[in-house]
Amino acid sequence: MHRSLVVTKWGWTQRILFYFMVAGTRSLVTVHQPPVLTAALGHDVMMPCLLNLSHDEGMVTLPVLYWMYLTQDNTDNPRLWSPSEKYEGRVELLDKSRNTSNKSIVLKNVQWADSGKYLCKLSITTQKAKSFRKKGNETSLKVYDTMIFNLTAHNDSLLWCEVNVTPDPGFVLSIFHDGCKLQPADSAPGDAGAVLPYVTFSDTVPLRSEGEYECQLHLNGELITKSIFHYHSPVADFDGDAAKNGSLTCPTTASEAAVVVFPEPWLLYMALLLVPIVILLSLATALLMYRC
Ligand SMILES: *[C@@H]1O[C@H](CO)[C@@H](O)[C@H](O)[C@H]1NC(C)=O
Ligand SMILES: *[C@@H]1O[C@H](CO)[C@@H](O)[C@H](O)[C@H]1NC(C)=O
Ligand SMILES: *[C@@H]1O[C@H](CO)[C@@H](O)[C@H](O)[C@H]1NC(C)=O
């Protein structure tokens, strides 16, 4: 009846590969990490970091990897790799061989306090440029909790969806019925609370008819997580036909309805045009017959 799904997007790898091809020609040594990542509270998250080194830039020693958590004032940034005391046992390097270009790590059991910015940094020594440090572009980690999607306790004709997330204006919550977006009867847009590390998004919609309801959380247009609720009317065949017909099309809003264009009645135009033609023709024939 009710299940939760965690959706992971891996379109990022393609973008990275593309970036390699473009950026590789310009810069000799670059470090790449995704700008934004999301993680489910209590789950593990992989934070990618890739080193790109052009062929002619021979490394003298193996690069030294640092992963940092960037604090608000950017001082005393704790180190994730190699793990400082704070991250002991919670961080793992995915590719353990030091001469790999894949410097991704896994942060385990993500907590609200893990929301924030992360920097991947490498200390490199090459023949040409000697020793230097190269930074990635920072990854911003957003955390979200399990989505609740069920009938409200006080009214079982109202469907309610709620989720806690790291404060970010890019988050959007929406409810769909058989593919149509529903207008919430009541909605809390996730205003920042006073001391909590998260904000709560919640939407309530009235049940329209039987079928599949889906609550979706998006961040900057990308689906982060969703939950599905199947509704079967307790009274069999109650409003059955209306429900079936209703589910085929999304109801239009007032503004949409205003611009609905009716099909042109071409047949009527033709018929109207035929009337004078027929009259003219019969007049002409009558005239001809009269002359003869
Ligand atoms: C880096 O290594 C991890 C673990 O093997 C893998 O899941 C990930 O896809 C790798 N990243 C790239 C860009 O190859
Ligand atoms: C890093 O960010 C800067 C400024 O936002 C941008 O100009 C640069 O291209 C980025 N570099 C990478 C490797 O994404
Ligand atoms: C439940 O909500 C519906 C839709 O908003 C409303 O019409 C109905 O009166 C409510 N019922 C109760 C018991 O509050």
Side-chain angles (χ1 to χ4, degrees):
M1 190 95 170
H2 172 236
R3 68 201 154 95
S4 260
L5 301 171
V6 175
V7 181
T8 324
K9 280 266 158 91
W10 280 118
W12 193 79
T13 314
Q14 280 85 19
R15 260 179 274 163
I16 285 267
L17 289 175
F18 174 74
Y19 204 92
F20 273 1
M21 291 185 278
V22 179
T25 54
R26 264 190 282 135
S27 185
L28 293 175
V29 182
T30 45
V31 175
H32 302 267
Q33 53 181 132
V36 180
L37 274 182
T38 55
L41 186 71
H43 288 66
D44 303 347
V45 64
M46 177 173 96
M47 292 204 255
C49 177
L50 296 169
L51 167 67
N52 185 31
L53 198 70
S54 68
H55 293 300
D56 55 341
E57 196 79 357
M59 271 192 290
V60 179
T61 58
L62 291 172
V64 181
L65 172 67
Y66 303 91
W67 267 95
M68 323 288 291
Y69 176 80
L70 302 180
T71 52
Q72 295 284 335
D73 55 2
N74 215 347
T75 56
D76 293 328
N77 297 327
R79 209 175 58 233
L80 278 82
W81 196 266
S82 44
S84 58
E85 209 176 321
K86 192 178 173 211
Y87 289 98
E88 199 70 58
R90 281 187 65 208
V91 184
E92 230 167 72
L93 199 57
L94 273 166
D95 196 335
K96 301 238 169 18
S97 72
R98 275 186 66 202
N99 60 4
T100 177
S101 60
N102 189 338
K103 305 293 179 188
S104 312
I105 53 166
V106 166
L107 178 62
K108 295 186 205 166
N109 187 18
V110 168
Q111 300 301 306
W112 288 117
D114 294 326
S115 307
K117 289 184 171 159
Y118 293 83
L119 184 67
C120 177
K121 196 158 69 171
L122 284 155
S123 183
I124 295 159
T125 311
T126 60
Q127 276 159 350
K128 280 189 195 164
K130 301 297 175 210
S131 212
F132 60 95
R133 280 190 172 185
K134 203 76 191 179
K135 291 190 270 188
N137 249 6
E138 296 180 12
T139 294
S140 178
L141 182 69
K142 319 273 176 199
V143 182
Y144 60 93
D145 201 354
T146 309
M147 185 180 267
I148 300 166
F149 192 34
N150 219 329
L151 302 174
T152 56
H154 62 282
N155 187 337
D156 63 5
S157 72
L158 291 175
L159 196 54
W160 167 68
C161 182
E162 186 178 275
V163 65
N164 295 332
V165 298
T166 302
D168 186 292
F171 277 115
V172 175
L173 192 69
S174 33
I175 302 178
F176 296 82
H177 175 240
D178 290 336
C180 302
K181 192 175 173 198
L182 299 180
Q183 203 62 36
D186 189 21
S187 161
D191 294 326
V195 284
L196 294 174
Y198 56 80
V199 291
T200 304
F201 279 84
S202 90
D203 266 11
T204 307
V205 293
L207 282 171
R208 299 194 323 164
S209 52
E210 294 198 349
E212 186 178 281
Y213 289 79
E214 189 170 300
C215 186
Q216 299 183 350
L217 177 71
H218 287 260
L219 174 62
N220 303 325
E222 276 197 36
L223 182 64
I224 306 302
T225 184
K226 64 179 183 179
S227 185
I228 290 168
F229 182 88
H230 289 282
Y231 177 60
H232 302 288
S233 177
V235 187
D237 270 342
F238 165 74
D239 221 8
D241 283 342
K244 263 175 228 144
N245 294 337
S247 66
L248 290 177
T249 49
C250 299
T252 48
T253 62
S255 60
E256 276 171 316
V259 294
V260 165
V261 183
F262 293 101
E264 292 279 336
W266 288 115
L267 267 176
L268 186 67
Y269 292 173
M270 299 264 276
L272 285 176
L273 212 69
L274 270 176
V275 173
I277 289 174
V278 167
I279 292 175
L280 267 174
L281 274 177
S282 39
L283 270 178
T285 8
L287 214 68
L288 277 174
M289 280 166 71
Y290 181 75
R291 284 254 178 110
C292 296

